[in-house]
Amino acid sequence: KQEVTQIPAALSVPEGENLVLNCSFTDSAIYNLQWFRQDPGKGLTSLLLIQSSQREQTSGRLNASLDKSSGRSTLYIAASQPGDSATYLCAVRAARGSTLGRLYFGRGTQLTVWP
Amino acid sequence: DTGVSQNPRHKITKRGQNVTFRCDPISEHNRLYWYRQTLGQGPEFLTYFQNEAQLEKSRLLSDRFSAERPKGSFSTLEIQRTEQGDSAMYLCASSFVGGSTDTQYFGPGTRLTVL
């Protein structure tokens, strides 16, 4: 069974810092990996999707990398802002087997950016 | 708004009652997913449909849970004889299989509280 782990569980930084969130997964046979943002009590907002054949994706101040062979992904946030405060979730989709459709999620990293 | 919508947003019920949630996916999305999220955890997969066919069900989906997508458009998730352990956020997502990516877009969720 695919297990997804996110480190750290919580992070508190001053505004303006560059930061890195980590995600690791146990089965490297993935179809894609997605990073989401979740505000308290809300649904999930997709930030970036990386296909298994890709190494990274960028959107604005966000950059996500994927090293499938080592089972790792990182989300890099540049010049953090208080509005970035949220929980960031990493999810992988299997590439084979009977569980092709589902996403496997980590528990998330709760980010607080203070002014 | 052309995103995924879910109704109701909040539901409070007494133990033993039946509840039904509705999800309207993004139009022309052929896949629809249900996830459950408890406090401090990442979402856990419940089931998904491709058009009207239910292709996969998690072991989390006990006999008290049933999901339908009768015409390949909206979906309903029913929980019979609710238990306090069913209290959670129920998230719906949709995606289009056949395009260049298979990004899952999530709705705002239905928060269920069982008293």
Side-chain angles (χ1 to χ4, degrees):
Chain A
K1 179 189 171 188
Q2 179 74 267
E3 300 281 348
V4 181
T5 304
Q6 291 188 245
I7 295 173
L11 187 61
S12 181
V13 299
E15 181 177 8
E17 279 207 1
N18 302 324
L19 50 97
V20 174
L21 308 182
N22 296 292
C23 171
S24 61
F25 45 95
T26 54
D27 186 348
S28 62
I30 66 168
Y31 183 75
N32 60 38
L33 182 145
Q34 225 169 323
W35 282 94
F36 293 89
R37 168 188 173 134
Q38 186 173 34
D39 293 289
K42 306 289 186 180
L44 280 64
T45 300
S46 180
L47 298 174
L48 291 165
L49 180 145
I50 310 177
Q51 301 288 8
S52 62
S53 58
Q54 296 175 323
R55 297 283 294 183
E56 66 178 333
Q57 281 285 335
T58 298
S59 176
R61 294 182 294 107
L62 305 179
N63 175 275
S65 66
L66 173 64
D67 185 343
K68 198 173 69 165
S69 61
S70 68
R72 296 176 187 271
S73 176
T74 60
L75 179 67
Y76 176 83
I77 303 177
S80 58
Q81 303 171 356
D84 294 331
S85 298
T87 295
Y88 290 80
L89 293 157
C90 167
V92 298
R93 185 173 156 208
R96 62 188 175 200
S98 62
T99 62
L100 286 176
R102 67 173 71 182
L103 292 177
Y104 292 88
F105 283 85
R107 291 187 176 186
T109 294
Q110 187 174 354
L111 173 65
T112 303
V113 182
W114 39 277
Chain B
D1 184 23
T2 57
V4 178
S5 62
Q6 293 186 244
N7 286 288
R9 296 291 306 278
H10 303 273
K11 179 70 177 178
I12 300 174
T13 191
K14 293 182 179 179
R15 189 176 53 186
Q17 298 295 306
N18 299 342
V19 294
T20 300
F21 310 141
R22 175 175 170 132
C23 171
D24 288 88
I26 294 171
S27 59
E28 78 265 355
H29 276 192
N30 47 16
R31 279 198 179 171
L32 187 148
Y33 310 79
W34 286 100
Y35 293 84
R36 181 173 70 183
Q37 185 178 27
T38 53
L39 198 62
Q41 303 294 318
E44 294 176 292
F45 172 82
L46 293 177
T47 188
Y48 87 94
F49 295 83
Q50 180 147 330
N51 300 312
E52 63 274 8
Q54 189 172 18
L55 295 188
E56 188 183 351
K57 291 196 295 185
S58 162
R59 294 176 186 175
L60 292 175
L61 214 65
S62 74
D63 292 345
R64 296 184 298 105
F65 288 70
S66 63
E68 294 183 342
R69 193 182 184 199
K71 296 182 180 179
S73 57
F74 72 92
S75 175
T76 58
L77 178 67
E78 181 183 16
I79 309 174
Q80 297 182 326
R81 305 181 303 281
T82 53
E83 302 173 355
Q84 288 185 325
D86 296 331
S87 296
M89 175 80 88
Y90 290 83
L91 295 163
C92 175
S94 70
S95 71
F96 178 73
V97 176
S100 58
T101 66
D102 187 15
T103 303
Q104 293 189 22
Y105 295 92
F106 281 75
T110 294
R111 180 165 295 284
L112 173 66
T113 301
V114 181
L115 302 176

Short mmCIF file of all heavy atoms in Angstrom, two decimals, chain A residues 70-114:
data_model
loop_
_atom_site.label_atom_id
_atom_site.label_comp_id
_atom_site.label_asym_id
_atom_site.label_seq_id
_atom_site.Cartn_x
_atom_site.Cartn_y
_atom_site.Cartn_z
N SER A 70 13.72 8.04 -5.97
CA SER A 70 13.96 8.08 -4.53
C SER A 70 12.67 8.28 -3.74
O SER A 70 12.69 8.30 -2.51
CB SER A 70 14.95 9.18 -4.18
OG SER A 70 14.38 10.45 -4.42
N GLY A 71 11.56 8.45 -4.43
CA GLY A 71 10.27 8.61 -3.76
C GLY A 71 10.14 9.92 -3.02
O GLY A 71 9.62 9.95 -1.90
N ARG A 72 10.59 11.02 -3.64
CA ARG A 72 10.55 12.31 -2.96
C ARG A 72 10.05 13.42 -3.87
O ARG A 72 10.30 13.41 -5.08
CB ARG A 72 11.95 12.70 -2.47
CG ARG A 72 12.52 11.78 -1.42
CD ARG A 72 13.96 12.20 -1.09
NE ARG A 72 14.60 11.23 -0.21
CZ ARG A 72 14.55 11.26 1.10
NH1 ARG A 72 13.89 12.24 1.71
NH2 ARG A 72 15.16 10.33 1.83
N SER A 73 9.39 14.39 -3.24
CA SER A 73 9.01 15.62 -3.91
C SER A 73 9.19 16.76 -2.93
O SER A 73 9.05 16.59 -1.71
CB SER A 73 7.55 15.56 -4.38
OG SER A 73 7.15 16.80 -4.94
N THR A 74 9.53 17.91 -3.46
CA THR A 74 9.61 19.10 -2.62
C THR A 74 8.78 20.22 -3.24
O THR A 74 8.66 20.32 -4.46
CB THR A 74 11.06 19.60 -2.46
OG1 THR A 74 11.58 19.93 -3.75
CG2 THR A 74 11.93 18.57 -1.80
N LEU A 75 8.18 21.02 -2.39
CA LEU A 75 7.48 22.22 -2.81
C LEU A 75 8.26 23.40 -2.26
O LEU A 75 8.42 23.52 -1.04
CB LEU A 75 6.04 22.24 -2.29
CG LEU A 75 5.23 23.49 -2.66
CD1 LEU A 75 4.99 23.55 -4.17
CD2 LEU A 75 3.90 23.53 -1.92
N TYR A 76 8.73 24.23 -3.16
CA TYR A 76 9.52 25.41 -2.79
C TYR A 76 8.62 26.64 -2.94
O TYR A 76 8.00 26.83 -3.98
CB TYR A 76 10.74 25.51 -3.72
CG TYR A 76 11.59 26.72 -3.53
CD1 TYR A 76 12.56 26.78 -2.53
CD2 TYR A 76 11.46 27.83 -4.37
CE1 TYR A 76 13.35 27.89 -2.36
CE2 TYR A 76 12.26 28.95 -4.21
CZ TYR A 76 13.21 28.97 -3.21
OH TYR A 76 14.00 30.08 -3.05
N ILE A 77 8.54 27.42 -1.86
CA ILE A 77 7.77 28.66 -1.89
C ILE A 77 8.74 29.82 -1.71
O ILE A 77 9.44 29.91 -0.69
CB ILE A 77 6.69 28.69 -0.78
CG1 ILE A 77 5.76 27.48 -0.89
CG2 ILE A 77 5.90 29.99 -0.85
CD1 ILE A 77 4.71 27.39 0.21
N ALA A 78 8.78 30.69 -2.70
CA ALA A 78 9.69 31.83 -2.64
C ALA A 78 8.99 33.04 -2.04
O ALA A 78 7.79 33.25 -2.24
CB ALA A 78 10.17 32.17 -4.04
N ALA A 79 9.77 33.81 -1.30
CA ALA A 79 9.30 35.09 -0.75
C ALA A 79 7.92 34.93 -0.10
O ALA A 79 6.93 35.54 -0.53
CB ALA A 79 9.27 36.14 -1.83
N SER A 80 7.84 34.12 0.94
CA SER A 80 6.56 33.78 1.55
C SER A 80 5.81 35.03 2.04
O SER A 80 6.42 36.05 2.43
CB SER A 80 6.77 32.81 2.70
OG SER A 80 7.65 33.36 3.67
N GLN A 81 4.48 34.92 2.02
CA GLN A 81 3.60 36.01 2.43
C GLN A 81 2.59 35.49 3.45
O GLN A 81 2.29 34.28 3.44
CB GLN A 81 2.85 36.55 1.20
CG GLN A 81 3.74 37.03 0.09
CD GLN A 81 2.95 37.34 -1.18
OE1 GLN A 81 1.74 37.13 -1.24
NE2 GLN A 81 3.65 37.84 -2.18
N PRO A 82 2.03 36.36 4.28
CA PRO A 82 1.02 35.89 5.25
C PRO A 82 -0.15 35.16 4.58
O PRO A 82 -0.71 34.22 5.15
CB PRO A 82 0.56 37.18 5.93
CG PRO A 82 1.77 38.07 5.87
CD PRO A 82 2.41 37.76 4.55
N GLY A 83 -0.49 35.56 3.36
CA GLY A 83 -1.57 34.89 2.64
C GLY A 83 -1.24 33.45 2.22
O GLY A 83 -2.13 32.72 1.81
N ASP A 84 0.01 33.05 2.36
CA ASP A 84 0.40 31.67 2.07
C ASP A 84 0.07 30.74 3.24
O ASP A 84 0.19 29.53 3.12
CB ASP A 84 1.91 31.58 1.79
CG ASP A 84 2.32 32.31 0.52
OD1 ASP A 84 1.49 32.42 -0.41
OD2 ASP A 84 3.47 32.79 0.46
N SER A 85 -0.31 31.30 4.37
CA SER A 85 -0.63 30.48 5.55
C SER A 85 -1.79 29.55 5.24
O SER A 85 -2.88 29.99 4.85
CB SER A 85 -0.99 31.38 6.74
OG SER A 85 0.11 32.20 7.08
N ALA A 86 -1.56 28.26 5.38
CA ALA A 86 -2.54 27.22 5.05
C ALA A 86 -1.88 25.87 5.32
O ALA A 86 -0.72 25.80 5.70
CB ALA A 86 -2.95 27.31 3.58
N THR A 87 -2.64 24.81 5.08
CA THR A 87 -2.06 23.46 5.13
C THR A 87 -1.78 23.02 3.70
O THR A 87 -2.63 23.16 2.82
CB THR A 87 -3.02 22.48 5.81
OG1 THR A 87 -3.18 22.86 7.18
CG2 THR A 87 -2.45 21.06 5.76
N TYR A 88 -0.60 22.50 3.48
CA TYR A 88 -0.18 22.05 2.15
C TYR A 88 -0.13 20.53 2.14
O TYR A 88 0.53 19.91 2.98
CB TYR A 88 1.17 22.65 1.79
CG TYR A 88 1.07 24.14 1.54
CD1 TYR A 88 1.03 25.04 2.61
CD2 TYR A 88 0.95 24.66 0.26
CE1 TYR A 88 0.87 26.40 2.40
CE2 TYR A 88 0.80 26.01 0.04
CZ TYR A 88 0.76 26.87 1.11
OH TYR A 88 0.60 28.22 0.90
N LEU A 89 -0.85 19.96 1.20
CA LEU A 89 -0.99 18.51 1.11
C LEU A 89 -0.34 18.00 -0.17
O LEU A 89 -0.47 18.60 -1.24
CB LEU A 89 -2.46 18.12 1.11
CG LEU A 89 -3.22 18.38 2.41
CD1 LEU A 89 -4.71 18.49 2.15
CD2 LEU A 89 -2.95 17.26 3.40
N CYS A 90 0.33 16.88 -0.04
CA CYS A 90 0.94 16.19 -1.15
C CYS A 90 0.12 14.92 -1.41
O CYS A 90 -0.31 14.26 -0.46
CB CYS A 90 2.39 15.84 -0.78
SG CYS A 90 3.22 14.68 -1.85
N ALA A 91 -0.10 14.59 -2.68
CA ALA A 91 -0.88 13.40 -3.01
C ALA A 91 -0.29 12.72 -4.23
O ALA A 91 0.11 13.40 -5.18
CB ALA A 91 -2.34 13.76 -3.27
N VAL A 92 -0.23 11.39 -4.22
CA VAL A 92 0.27 10.66 -5.37
C VAL A 92 -0.82 9.76 -5.93
O VAL A 92 -1.70 9.29 -5.19
CB VAL A 92 1.52 9.81 -5.02
CG1 VAL A 92 2.65 10.71 -4.56
CG2 VAL A 92 1.21 8.75 -3.98
N ARG A 93 -0.75 9.53 -7.22
CA ARG A 93 -1.69 8.64 -7.88
C ARG A 93 -0.91 7.44 -8.41
O ARG A 93 0.14 7.60 -9.02
CB ARG A 93 -2.38 9.36 -9.03
CG ARG A 93 -3.46 8.53 -9.68
CD ARG A 93 -4.24 9.30 -10.69
NE ARG A 93 -4.83 8.35 -11.63
CZ ARG A 93 -5.12 8.61 -12.88
NH1 ARG A 93 -4.89 9.81 -13.35
NH2 ARG A 93 -5.66 7.71 -13.66
N ALA A 94 -1.45 6.25 -8.17
CA ALA A 94 -0.76 5.02 -8.56
C ALA A 94 -0.74 4.87 -10.07
O ALA A 94 -1.65 5.30 -10.78
CB ALA A 94 -1.43 3.81 -7.92
N ALA A 95 0.31 4.19 -10.56
CA ALA A 95 0.46 3.97 -12.00
C ALA A 95 0.00 2.59 -12.43
O ALA A 95 -0.08 2.30 -13.61
CB ALA A 95 1.92 4.15 -12.41
N ARG A 96 -0.30 1.74 -11.48
CA ARG A 96 -0.65 0.38 -11.86
C ARG A 96 -1.53 -0.23 -10.78
O ARG A 96 -1.67 0.30 -9.69
CB ARG A 96 0.61 -0.47 -12.03
CG ARG A 96 1.42 -0.59 -10.75
CD ARG A 96 2.76 -1.26 -10.99
NE ARG A 96 3.57 -1.27 -9.77
CZ ARG A 96 4.88 -1.43 -9.77
NH1 ARG A 96 5.53 -1.59 -10.91
NH2 ARG A 96 5.55 -1.46 -8.63
N GLY A 97 -2.11 -1.36 -11.14
CA GLY A 97 -2.87 -2.10 -10.16
C GLY A 97 -4.32 -1.67 -10.12
O GLY A 97 -4.81 -0.89 -10.94
N SER A 98 -5.01 -2.15 -9.11
CA SER A 98 -6.44 -1.92 -8.99
C SER A 98 -6.79 -0.57 -8.40
O SER A 98 -7.95 -0.23 -8.26
CB SER A 98 -7.07 -3.02 -8.13
OG SER A 98 -6.51 -2.99 -6.83
N THR A 99 -5.77 0.21 -8.04
CA THR A 99 -6.04 1.48 -7.36
C THR A 99 -5.65 2.66 -8.24
O THR A 99 -5.15 3.66 -7.76
CB THR A 99 -5.27 1.55 -6.03
OG1 THR A 99 -3.87 1.49 -6.30
CG2 THR A 99 -5.67 0.43 -5.11
N LEU A 100 -5.93 2.55 -9.55
CA LEU A 100 -5.46 3.55 -10.49
C LEU A 100 -6.06 4.93 -10.27
O LEU A 100 -5.45 5.93 -10.58
CB LEU A 100 -5.76 3.09 -11.92
CG LEU A 100 -4.88 1.98 -12.46
CD1 LEU A 100 -5.36 1.56 -13.84
CD2 LEU A 100 -3.44 2.43 -12.53
N GLY A 101 -7.31 4.98 -9.78
CA GLY A 101 -7.98 6.26 -9.75
C GLY A 101 -7.69 7.10 -8.52
O GLY A 101 -7.73 8.32 -8.57
N ARG A 102 -7.40 6.46 -7.41
CA ARG A 102 -7.36 7.18 -6.15
C ARG A 102 -6.07 7.96 -5.98
O ARG A 102 -5.03 7.62 -6.52
CB ARG A 102 -7.53 6.22 -4.98
CG ARG A 102 -6.36 5.25 -4.82
CD ARG A 102 -6.50 4.43 -3.56
NE ARG A 102 -7.57 3.44 -3.64
CZ ARG A 102 -7.89 2.63 -2.63
NH1 ARG A 102 -7.26 2.75 -1.46
NH2 ARG A 102 -8.86 1.75 -2.77
N LEU A 103 -6.18 9.02 -5.16
CA LEU A 103 -5.02 9.74 -4.68
C LEU A 103 -4.72 9.28 -3.26
O LEU A 103 -5.62 9.06 -2.46
CB LEU A 103 -5.27 11.25 -4.68
CG LEU A 103 -5.41 11.95 -6.03
CD1 LEU A 103 -5.74 13.43 -5.84
CD2 LEU A 103 -4.15 11.79 -6.86
N TYR A 104 -3.42 9.14 -2.97
CA TYR A 104 -2.97 8.86 -1.61
C TYR A 104 -2.36 10.15 -1.07
O TYR A 104 -1.44 10.69 -1.66
CB TYR A 104 -1.91 7.76 -1.60
CG TYR A 104 -2.43 6.40 -2.00
CD1 TYR A 104 -2.45 6.01 -3.33
CD2 TYR A 104 -2.89 5.50 -1.03
CE1 TYR A 104 -2.91 4.76 -3.70
CE2 TYR A 104 -3.35 4.25 -1.39
CZ TYR A 104 -3.37 3.88 -2.72
OH TYR A 104 -3.84 2.65 -3.09
N PHE A 105 -2.89 10.59 0.06
CA PHE A 105 -2.49 11.87 0.64
C PHE A 105 -1.58 11.69 1.85
O PHE A 105 -1.72 10.72 2.62
CB PHE A 105 -3.73 12.65 1.12
CG PHE A 105 -4.51 13.30 0.03
CD1 PHE A 105 -5.49 12.60 -0.66
CD2 PHE A 105 -4.28 14.63 -0.31
CE1 PHE A 105 -6.22 13.21 -1.66
CE2 PHE A 105 -5.01 15.24 -1.31
CZ PHE A 105 -5.98 14.53 -1.99
N GLY A 106 -0.70 12.67 2.03
CA GLY A 106 -0.01 12.81 3.30
C GLY A 106 -0.90 13.57 4.28
O GLY A 106 -2.00 14.00 3.94
N ARG A 107 -0.39 13.76 5.50
CA ARG A 107 -1.17 14.48 6.52
C ARG A 107 -1.06 15.98 6.37
O ARG A 107 -1.81 16.73 6.99
CB ARG A 107 -0.71 14.08 7.91
CG ARG A 107 -1.05 12.67 8.29
CD ARG A 107 -0.70 12.42 9.74
NE ARG A 107 -1.10 11.09 10.16
CZ ARG A 107 -1.03 10.65 11.41
NH1 ARG A 107 -0.56 11.44 12.36
NH2 ARG A 107 -1.41 9.43 11.70
N GLY A 108 -0.12 16.42 5.56
CA GLY A 108 -0.01 17.86 5.33
C GLY A 108 1.04 18.54 6.18
O GLY A 108 1.46 18.03 7.22
N THR A 109 1.46 19.72 5.72
CA THR A 109 2.31 20.62 6.49
C THR A 109 1.52 21.88 6.74
O THR A 109 1.06 22.52 5.80
CB THR A 109 3.61 20.97 5.73
OG1 THR A 109 4.41 19.79 5.61
CG2 THR A 109 4.38 22.06 6.46
N GLN A 110 1.34 22.22 8.01
CA GLN A 110 0.61 23.43 8.38
C GLN A 110 1.58 24.60 8.42
O GLN A 110 2.46 24.65 9.27
CB GLN A 110 -0.08 23.24 9.72
CG GLN A 110 -1.00 24.40 10.09
CD GLN A 110 -1.79 24.12 11.37
OE1 GLN A 110 -1.74 23.04 11.94
NE2 GLN A 110 -2.51 25.11 11.83
N LEU A 111 1.41 25.52 7.49
CA LEU A 111 2.33 26.65 7.35
C LEU A 111 1.70 27.92 7.91
O LEU A 111 0.56 28.25 7.60
CB LEU A 111 2.67 26.87 5.88
CG LEU A 111 3.49 28.11 5.54
CD1 LEU A 111 4.89 28.02 6.16
CD2 LEU A 111 3.60 28.30 4.03
N THR A 112 2.47 28.61 8.72
CA THR A 112 2.08 29.94 9.22
C THR A 112 3.17 30.92 8.84
O THR A 112 4.34 30.72 9.16
CB THR A 112 1.90 29.95 10.75
OG1 THR A 112 0.94 28.96 11.12
CG2 THR A 112 1.44 31.32 11.22
N VAL A 113 2.79 31.97 8.12
CA VAL A 113 3.71 33.03 7.76
C VAL A 113 3.28 34.29 8.49
O VAL A 113 2.17 34.79 8.28
CB VAL A 113 3.72 33.28 6.24
CG1 VAL A 113 4.73 34.37 5.88
CG2 VAL A 113 4.02 31.99 5.48
N TRP A 114 4.15 34.79 9.38
CA TRP A 114 3.74 35.94 10.18
C TRP A 114 4.43 37.21 9.66
O TRP A 114 5.54 37.16 9.15
CB TRP A 114 4.02 35.71 11.67
CG TRP A 114 5.29 35.00 12.00
CD1 TRP A 114 5.51 33.66 11.99
CD2 TRP A 114 6.53 35.61 12.39
NE1 TRP A 114 6.81 33.38 12.36
CE2 TRP A 114 7.46 34.56 12.61
CE3 TRP A 114 6.95 36.93 12.57
CZ2 TRP A 114 8.75 34.81 13.00
CZ3 TRP A 114 8.25 37.17 12.96
CH2 TRP A 114 9.14 36.11 13.17
#
